[in-house]
Amino acid sequence: MHGENTQLHAERPQPICRMVFYTFISSEGEISLLVVVVDVNPIWWGQHAQSEPEFTLSKCLDAVMVMGNAHMAMTRTNQLAVIAAHCQDSHFLYPSKRLKGNDDTSSSRDGKYELLSVTNNLIAEEIRDIMSKTELTGNSTDTLLAGSLAKALCYINRISKEVGVAQEIKSRILVIKAADDCALQYMNFMNVIFAAQKQNILIDACVLDSDSGLLQQACDITGGLYLKIPQKVALAQYLLWVFLPDSEQRSLLVLPPPAHVDYRAACFCHRTLIEIGYVCSVCLSIFCNFSPICTTCETAFKIQLPQMVKPKKKKPKLPA
Amino acid sequence: MDEEPERAKRWEGGYERTWEVLKEDESGSLTATVEEILYQSKKRRVIKSHEQVRLGMMRHLYFVIDCSRSMDDQDLKPNRLTSTLKLMETFVDEYFDQNPISQVGIIITKNKRAEKLTELSGNPKKHIDALKKAVDTPCVGEPSLYNALSLALNNLKHMPGHTSREILIILSSLTTCDPANIYELITTLKSLKVRVSVIGLSAEVRVCTVLTRETGGSYHVILDESHFKELLMLHVKPPPASSSSECSLIRMGFPQHTVASLSDQDAKPSFSMSHLDSSSGAGLSLGGYFCPQCHAKYTELPVECKVCGLTLVSAPHLARSFHHLFPLQAFLESPTEKLLKNRFCQACQRELEDKTPVEKHTWSQTTEKASNRRMTLKTAEKNGEPSNHNSGDALLLIW
């Protein structure tokens, strides 16, 4: 516990970041809810611990805690939630069940705002629990991102219902992604994106390693920001600068330009991106070449045969 | 309302003791039971649609709005026409949201004639603008079902076979003035596989019953404004495709979105038609979608390229239609008594409380929204999350 606290001191925002603490006062009674989804895939983090030892999962979570504290410190009505996305399930780091249990963790040792210290302690305890107790079964090494996003949406919906009709609530989701995309989650991902778009929830993406087409589409459709970080050690700086302001304030800032999103579809037979393709009218599967039977729904297609043209009878030439 | 053979009307049936269904709660109010009844009927309706039926995903729908004298009636506030047009705007939005690759056209009928308000197109803005302007049209004369249907038919019969051809009529008058025998037109509609549905605002009209029955559509008469909205929204979902509709491979293009180009070829493409959305406004812009076949530029998708005839869509538009093809499975209700110790909702971190008539604090209520929300919940389950190990199967799931 002490160790974690001292580490947090070391990560206090540097002077260059301090000027980023905006003093905008949002309209009375408007609640801003930020849900951070952190990818804690142990396989990816384990591999990167060897190649880049100065950026570990605990450093990443410290940066997330800094951003969470900043968000809650800006206005009293701001709310925070943190979800960790693991390989086979996802867990709420904050608020968690422990919040209700322990009422004696209130005294903070260094005079920090109580809510912030409780938050940080909870997050640290929960992630320690998760990383030590979760066992990996099966072969899949991909992060369960779509499920975590779905949980985030459920939580946002619950808070919106609890707050009631009188108060406005603005929510956004920030995804911190480490591992690569999983193509099997495409359908679920798209459902989550459309649900978020309907509810006016922004999805921002902060990508640590390789570009993710799914998250690019998510940010484009919902109106959020997508950023691939060039230097992972400066994660806290990027989080505070780019992802902390909410949507109203973003229009006043100069932020990284929107990424070029590739909306081309991938054909079902070769998985290559195509510009012109054939779409089955029954099951909407995409093919790059014409084939008489759809492989997904096994419908036989009607092929338009060219119509027979009757040869015109030539008029016999009259003998001269 | 009528099926073959025609069943007895409500007043011909037995004596119903409807008061026995309603039960008062402690404070004497009936809202709880009424809500429960509505809830159960909604549930039944959604469960019914979970069958493996081929759907018509690419839809061409013509709307026929009756603008006759009876639309001036004030039983829907402020008058029937304004209320109808307002609901239609919501309908157009929802329709293009659920069926992004479909098209809609609007026809109005009054004074024994029918005229087209908007052409068949996939751009929702055009339709909404036209609907807003149509509020001022005077309601005069009688509608003509025959003229409206033949006008719609003339356009629909040229559509390719794999699309679903539909007509939705909103009829408030009890009369119609037709130049020829409408029953012949009904047989023509049936042979061309056009599906006609009617929403009546006044009362049931026999010719509409026959029309919808022959063509395979639905006929409903509204009770009040909220019922009207409900009936309209029933038509947003794609209908089951008729068995004889052709299935074919449609050639489509997936253009790239270029944001800022430094080249000087920024002029908008010149179209053959006079007024289109891209030619209003400034005219020149930097980015857009370029057709992969002919490199004509467009600002929005989905669209049909005017130059080469290729349908241009983007992958999320097709993905939008997938949730009709893979519908969410119905949730299973299990009673609270089965939950032993852990009454905790995994999705939103909230305690599950007892089901009371007014407040339903369950998994469902916190995640209850449009069908989209049910989907997101299902994704959490589909991803193999065991959720609550102890009571995974005994969570109170009411959707």
Side-chain angles (χ1 to χ4, degrees), chain A residues 92 157-158 199 275 277 279, chain B residues 250 252 254 348-349 366 373:
Chain A
F92 268 86
N157 192 21
R158 168 205 162 185
Q199 299 289 313
E275 286 204 325
V279 177
Chain B
I250 313 157
M252 288 192 180
F254 301 96
C348 62
Q349 308 290 301
T366 62
R373 189 47 54 94

Side-chain angles (χ1 to χ4, degrees), chain B residues 27 85 110 117 122 154 156 165 192 212-213 220 227 240 245-246 255 258 262 266-267 295 303-304 312 357 382 385 399:
Chain B
S27 56
L85 292 174
K110 64 178 180 197
L117 201 59
N154 282 340
L156 283 179
R165 305 165 183 166
L192 286 173
T212 52
R213 190 178 60 211
H220 296 281
H227 190 220
S245 64
E246 303 161 10
T258 53
L262 299 171
D266 290 337
H295 294 285
V303 76
E304 191 178 327
L312 301 174
K382 260 189 191 156
E385 296 178 347
W399 114 101

Side-chain angles (χ1 to χ4, degrees), chain A residues 90 92 147 150-151 157-158 161 188 191 194-195 198-199 260 262 264 275-279 281 301-302, chain B residues 97 246-250 252-254 256-257 316 346 348-349 366-368 372-373 375-376 379 383 385:
Chain A
S90 50
F92 268 86
K151 268 198 176 174
N157 192 21
R158 168 205 162 185
K161 286 244 158 74
N188 300 335
N191 284 343
F194 293 132
K198 259 291 177 64
Q199 299 289 313
H260 170 67
D262 198 348
R264 288 179 296 175
E275 286 204 325
I276 301 184
Y278 294 90
V279 177
S281 63
F301 296 122
K302 231 184 182 179
Chain B
D97 186 54
E246 303 161 10
C247 330
S248 49
L249 276 182
I250 313 157
M252 288 192 180
F254 301 96
Q256 292 259 35
H257 183 70
Q346 279 298 318
C348 62
Q349 308 290 301
T366 62
T367 55
E368 183 186 338
N372 284 326
R373 189 47 54 94
M375 252 190 294
T376 70
T379 62
N383 282 323
E385 296 178 347

